[in-house]
Amino acid sequence: MNKIQPLDQVRSIVATALNQTTKVRKSFQNFFIETMLLILTIYGKLNFLSMARHGDSCESRFRQNFKKKFDWCAFNRNMLLGTSCHIAAVALDHSYLPKSGKKTPGLGYYWSGCAGATKRGLEILGFAQVVAGVSDARFIFAEQTLPQKSRGRTPFYLEHMKDKRDNQTAKCLRTIYDHKEQLLGISGILVGDCLFASYNFVTGAKAVGFDVVSRLRDDAVLHYLYTGPQKGGRGRKKELDGDVDIHNLRQHVFAEETLDVDGESVTLFSAAVKCKSLKRKIKAVIADFKCGAKTIRKILFSTDLSLEAAQIFLIYHSRFQIEFLFRDAKQNTGLDDWQSTDADRLSFGYNASLTAVNVARKIADEIQEQTGRRLSVASVKKVLHNASLYQHIKEFIEGQKSGNPQNKQILTDEIPPNLLFFGVRDSA
């Protein structure tokens, strides 16, 4: 069994990913490794000043390097989940960041899910890889919502929109198109919450080359597809065969199956229908959930008619894992702390905080292989903080004792487990 050296593991993981990222200089590699170590070891406010105080670089070096462009998709691609037996998808979601001031770029009023209201601050659009049936996710990249007006001809994937201004849907589609090749290399399925179950987004995503998995409103209008014989002669062929009542389904049309999810039984009814709001044929999956003594029904859908009902349900079920990425980044890696009046520096900071969560989860997997203990991101940061503190104390003692060659080494290179895991709790 290999001895646990958390700081060396961080350096190894980050260096391996950087070596597979093109056009990265050695000086930037050293800076990037130092940045990841500081994000994962510093407690308290995370900004350029605190990083310079705890690190080996000055404040201006952090400001200068945070201004540089970096391919976060290529870097995080080296830490994606395995998909040998499951279907992967790209989850996308917005996250509200509280921020005050007058000079911060992108300040506005955005929806906060925690507060259930619109609040003043910032917003980012995050992308993550999720796998059907797997309770984990890996961050890909994030982009801040900025009030910038686009110029030039309307792109082909926005031509269907009546309102072609730079609204939220248009900005999402522009971001997806700009990273189309990298996202398609991960998965051709986009999964999001009800915000993305709109005609404008679904049609634009299909034009770019993606299928969409999401959830419809409970009062969505669905129509059965007509499969009987068509009348001869002139005129349009019959396409629809009545409305779908989700509480009184036609048993010969909707296929029923039972799925076990997290120890609970979920009943799925699936069929190909036409959605009025999306103006297209979809694979609808009506799922029965147990909510206490009640049973509620929700309508999931996929624009890919070949997907199975269980696959659609598990993909949407795994969508919520992106929320845990935002939570861990806000609580442990300083996603809310970055301060700058430059949009590029803020974007680098947001991506660095979310990427650090990837590194922490990678460390947790390696620690689990070595010790059998499953740690959360908060516990991994505690382990790394303990290792960093031990290293600083060791270097200080060695510096004090270096003048007397008769003094023996007090602290060994191998960190005692009781010190390494001091104050650490296993993940549930």
Side-chain angles (χ1 to χ4, degrees):
M1 180 184 298
N2 297 327
K3 299 299 182 181
I4 301 175
Q5 299 295 335
L7 299 181
D8 293 337
Q9 288 177 332
V10 173
R11 296 187 184 97
S12 176
I13 291 173
V14 177
T16 301
L18 285 173
N19 290 334
Q20 300 180 16
T21 304
T22 58
K23 298 181 180 180
V24 179
R25 295 183 177 182
K26 184 65 177 179
S27 60
F28 185 82
Q29 289 187 15
N30 296 332
F31 159 78
F32 195 87
I33 293 174
E34 180 185 4
T35 301
M36 287 293 107
L37 284 171
L38 290 173
I39 292 176
L40 290 171
T41 54
I42 294 178
Y43 279 97
K45 204 76 171 177
L46 189 65
N47 50 38
F48 300 133
L49 183 62
S50 63
M51 294 175 71
R53 185 182 298 117
H54 292 85
D56 298 328
S57 302
C58 61
E59 183 180 354
S60 62
R61 188 188 185 197
F62 289 106
R63 293 186 181 275
Q64 293 171 4
N65 282 277
F66 269 54
K67 181 72 174 176
K68 296 179 180 179
K69 299 292 184 181
F70 185 70
D71 192 351
W72 296 99
C73 291
F75 180 85
N76 288 300
R77 189 179 180 87
N78 298 279
M79 288 180 281
L80 298 180
L81 299 169
T83 59
S84 58
C85 302
H86 304 279
I87 296 180
V90 176
L92 67 162
D93 197 11
H94 294 89
S95 180
Y96 165 80
L97 305 178
K99 187 68 67 175
S100 59
K102 298 180 180 179
K103 301 297 183 180
T104 304
L107 272 174
Y109 289 89
Y110 302 99
W111 176 260
S112 172
C114 294
T118 301
K119 298 180 63 177
R120 180 175 172 82
L122 305 177
E123 184 185 67
I124 59 174
L125 173 64
F127 293 79
Q129 180 221 26
V130 296
V131 179
V134 178
S135 299
D136 201 355
R138 289 293 184 269
F139 170 72
I140 303 174
F141 76 96
E143 190 166 298
Q144 184 183 357
T145 301
L146 295 174
Q148 296 178 348
K149 294 184 178 180
S150 60
R151 298 179 179 178
R153 186 176 179 179
T154 302
F156 68 94
Y157 51 87
L158 297 181
E159 292 179 350
H160 63 281
M161 298 176 61
K162 295 181 180 179
D163 184 6
K164 295 181 175 60
R165 295 177 300 176
D166 288 320
N167 54 24
Q168 192 176 47
T169 301
K171 291 178 181 178
C172 289
L173 292 173
R174 291 180 186 273
T175 303
I176 293 170
Y177 181 77
D178 292 340
H179 300 83
K180 171 185 174 181
E181 300 300 329
Q182 293 169 310
L183 293 177
L184 284 175
I186 298 173
S187 176
I189 302 174
L190 297 176
V191 55
D193 55 14
C194 290
L195 175 67
F196 303 98
S198 66
Y199 168 75
N200 289 335
F201 180 81
V202 171
T203 304
K206 289 290 291 184
V208 175
F210 291 90
D211 285 300
V212 178
V213 173
S214 185
R215 183 172 70 86
L216 294 172
R217 291 175 42 162
D218 295 340
D219 59 351
V221 179
L222 304 177
H223 303 287
Y224 289 103
L225 300 178
Y226 180 74
T227 58
Q230 298 286 350
K231 294 182 180 179
R234 301 172 60 184
R236 184 179 179 181
K237 303 299 181 183
K238 186 174 182 181
E239 181 185 6
L240 307 179
D241 191 22
D243 296 342
V244 177
D245 182 2
I246 65 171
H247 300 290
N248 186 20
L249 301 174
R250 297 179 184 178
Q251 299 299 326
H252 66 281
V253 176
F254 279 85
E256 180 180 354
E257 62 179 291
T258 303
L259 186 66
D260 183 72
V261 180
D262 298 333
E264 296 184 1
S265 179
V266 179
T267 304
L268 306 178
F269 303 91
S270 61
V273 298
K274 185 171 183 179
C275 179
K276 181 179 179 179
S277 61
L278 300 181
K279 302 179 183 179
R280 66 172 57 247
K281 297 179 183 179
I282 60 173
K283 179 69 173 289
V285 177
I286 300 176
D288 283 350
F289 296 92
K290 292 291 184 180
C291 185
K294 296 182 179 179
T295 300
I296 59 176
R297 285 191 167 184
K298 296 297 180 181
I299 309 173
L300 312 180
F301 78 92
S302 170
T303 57
D304 184 1
L305 303 182
S306 64
L307 282 179
E308 299 178 0
Q311 294 174 339
I312 296 173
F313 178 86
L314 292 176
I315 288 174
Y316 186 80
H317 185 262
S318 63
R319 181 211 68 83
F320 200 79
Q321 294 298 321
I322 192 175
E323 304 286 356
F324 296 132
L325 288 177
F326 290 135
R327 178 203 64 184
D328 290 338
K330 290 179 179 180
Q331 294 180 354
N332 303 296
T333 59
L335 182 61
D336 293 337
D337 297 342
W338 300 109
Q339 298 174 345
S340 179
T341 56
D342 185 81
D344 292 334
R345 292 190 177 99
L346 286 177
S347 178
F348 193 101
Y350 299 148
N351 282 276
S353 293
L354 288 161
T355 299
V357 177
N358 278 2
V359 177
R361 294 191 175 189
K362 191 79 171 180
I363 294 293
D365 294 338
E366 295 185 359
I367 292 178
Q368 186 177 17
E369 292 178 0
Q370 297 177 18
T371 66
R373 302 179 63 176
R374 182 62 186 176
L375 303 183
S376 63
V377 173
S379 296
V380 170
K381 182 169 184 177
K382 186 67 175 179
V383 169
L384 294 172
H385 176 76
N386 293 343
S388 177
L389 188 61
Y390 182 89
Q391 182 179 5
H392 286 311
I393 295 174
K394 180 176 179 294
E395 292 175 354
F396 174 78
I397 294 177
E398 290 178 352
Q400 293 292 102
K401 299 296 183 179
S402 60
N404 187 355
Q406 297 181 354
N407 288 313
K408 297 181 179 180
Q409 187 179 12
I410 299 178
L411 298 180
T412 61
D413 294 332
E414 180 183 336
I415 308 175
N418 58 334
L419 294 179
L420 186 64
F421 291 97
F422 178 78
V424 174
R425 294 182 178 180
D426 292 353
S427 178

